[in-house]
């Protein structure tokens, strides 16, 4: 089977991740006594990473590996927090991101990670995106490389609300210049497009300005698209809401983990 396409990781990357996760297990995967696991540790990791990469339903994974859906669910529940821990060192800290951004041009944009619409979770609704989910701010450089992803907040928080007093704000204030979209109008350190006044059309120079700002911002939009190759961030999150943060950190960690091999 094409495990790389399924999991999003090459063989050498799976080797490294398996070694890291093995060290985090409370007891060996193969104890030699008792009932053995239905999948090897590597297979279980492929399922777990593949769920984050592809976000296909557990029944399909069960059919692929010829096990039951509860078995797949059990492995994802067990290993996702371990993948989160195993890739923690790969996720840039705010301090590392600030140093990487210092005196350079930085790009910032918001993104929504969609999820199911739970009836009692009104704060997940995002008026901007017209759906439910969690939002983060992403910082990238002019080459389209992601330098920082903020922790997810409920979808009802606007980009400016997520920015104020956050790690992202501290990172951007150390940059040599910052470009953002209209959601960041009102800051004194982020260059944004000009919003169309209600009373008139944009002037020619204002349209040209907006075009130039958009061209500078293009790499961060590509960077977000690359992040969303981990489809757990792009399509509705279906697992219990309390598990989202761990799954999010695991997916972001795997993104940077994979980037570290590139």
């Amino acid at each position: 089977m094409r495990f790389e396409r399924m999991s999003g990781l090459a063989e050498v990357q799976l080797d490294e991740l398996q070694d890291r996760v093995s060290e985090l297990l409370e007891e060996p995967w193969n104890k030699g006594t008792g009932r053995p696991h239905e999948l090897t540790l590597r297979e279980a990791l492929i399922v777990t990473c593949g769920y984050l990469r592809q976000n296909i339903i557990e029944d399909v994974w069960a059919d692929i590996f010829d096990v039951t859906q509860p078995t797949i669910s059990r492995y994802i529940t067990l290993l996702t927090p371990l993948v989160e821990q195993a890739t923690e060192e790969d996720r840039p800290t705010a301090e590392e991101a600030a140093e990487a951004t210092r005196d350079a041009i930085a790009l910032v944009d918001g993104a929504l990670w969609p999820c199911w619409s739970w009836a009692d979770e009104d704060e997940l609704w995002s008026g901007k995106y017209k759906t439910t989910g969690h939002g983060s701010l992403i910082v990238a450089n002019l080459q389209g490389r992601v330098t920082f992803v903020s922790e997810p907040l409920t979808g009802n928080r606007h980009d400016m609300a997520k920015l104020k007093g956050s790690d992202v704000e501290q990172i951007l204030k150390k940059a040599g210049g910052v470009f953002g979209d209209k959601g960041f109008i009102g800051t004194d350190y982020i260059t944004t497009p000009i919003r169309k006044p209600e009373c008139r059309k944009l002037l020619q120079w204002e349209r040209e300005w907006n075009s130039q700002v958009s061209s500078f911002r293009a790499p961060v939009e590509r960077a977000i698209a690359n992040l969303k190759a981990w489809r757990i961030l792009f399509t509705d999150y279906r697992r219990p809401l309390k598990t989202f943060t761990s799954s999010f950190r695991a997916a972001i960690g795997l993104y940077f983990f994979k980037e570290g091999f590139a």
Side-chain angles (χ1 to χ4, degrees):
M1 286 188 282
R2 298 288 298 276
F3 287 154
E4 181 172 358
R5 182 170 295 176
M6 292 168 63
S7 67
L9 301 176
E11 288 292 323
V12 65
Q13 294 163 350
L14 279 169
D15 289 340
E16 173 65 21
L17 184 63
Q18 183 174 337
D19 288 343
R20 294 187 189 183
V21 170
S22 294
E23 294 178 358
L24 295 171
L25 291 171
E26 293 183 356
E27 55 186 23
W29 190 262
N30 296 315
K31 295 183 292 185
T33 59
R35 184 179 178 181
H37 286 283
E38 296 178 75
L39 297 179
T40 66
L41 177 56
R42 193 177 193 83
E43 289 171 336
L45 279 173
I46 288 168
V47 167
T48 302
C49 296
Y51 189 83
L52 296 170
R53 180 72 171 187
Q54 308 295 347
N55 199 19
I56 58 177
I57 61 175
E58 294 173 356
D59 285 324
V60 173
W61 288 109
D63 287 343
I64 292 171
F65 286 91
D66 194 25
V67 294
T68 65
Q69 178 272 327
T71 296
I72 294 296
S73 179
R74 187 166 60 251
Y75 286 139
I76 291 174
T77 300
L78 170 66
L79 291 179
T80 297
L82 297 183
V83 171
E84 174 196 350
Q85 294 179 54
T87 58
E88 181 177 7
E89 64 188 56
D90 298 286
R91 300 196 307 270
T93 64
E95 292 74 17
E96 291 169 341
E99 189 59 34
T101 306
R102 186 182 300 275
D103 298 328
I105 299 298
L107 311 174
V108 63
D109 203 356
L112 187 80
W113 322 119
C115 67
W116 276 359
S117 301
W118 282 274
D120 57 346
E121 300 290 346
D122 294 340
E123 70 275 11
L124 293 175
W125 175 258
S126 170
K128 176 180 178 180
Y129 295 96
K130 308 302 181 186
T131 189
T132 49
H134 300 80
S136 294
L137 297 179
I138 292 88
V139 181
N141 59 24
L142 287 175
Q143 290 71 48
R145 185 178 182 85
V146 179
T147 54
F148 189 75
V149 180
S150 71
E151 285 286 280
L153 297 173
T154 52
N156 64 344
R157 300 286 295 276
H158 298 292
D159 288 345
M160 283 292 285
K162 292 196 286 281
L163 178 66
K164 187 174 181 181
S166 69
D167 288 336
V168 171
E169 183 176 57
Q170 300 306 312
I171 292 167
L172 297 181
K173 285 188 173 181
K174 294 182 180 180
V178 185
F179 288 89
D181 64 14
K182 294 177 184 177
F184 299 99
I185 290 176
T187 62
D188 58 1
Y189 59 92
I190 300 178
T191 301
T192 65
I194 298 171
R195 181 177 287 128
K196 178 186 173 302
E198 294 183 3
C199 59
R200 63 171 175 83
K201 296 182 179 179
L202 289 174
L203 303 176
Q204 179 63 30
W205 74 267
E206 292 173 323
R207 292 196 296 271
E208 292 175 356
W209 171 270
N210 287 357
S211 178
Q212 291 178 9
V213 172
S214 294
S215 66
F216 274 110
R217 288 188 57 255
V220 72
E221 295 179 351
R222 293 197 299 270
I224 292 174
N226 289 333
L227 270 178
K228 289 183 175 180
W230 295 89
R231 295 186 67 82
I232 201 78
L233 304 174
F234 178 65
T235 52
D236 276 5
Y237 188 78
R238 299 183 297 270
R239 296 182 65 222
L241 187 58
K242 65 182 181 181
T243 68
F244 174 77
T245 300
S246 181
S247 296
F248 167 82
R249 290 172 180 166
I252 297 299
L254 287 170
Y255 169 82
F256 284 108
F257 172 77
K258 187 176 176 69
E259 285 288 298
F261 279 81

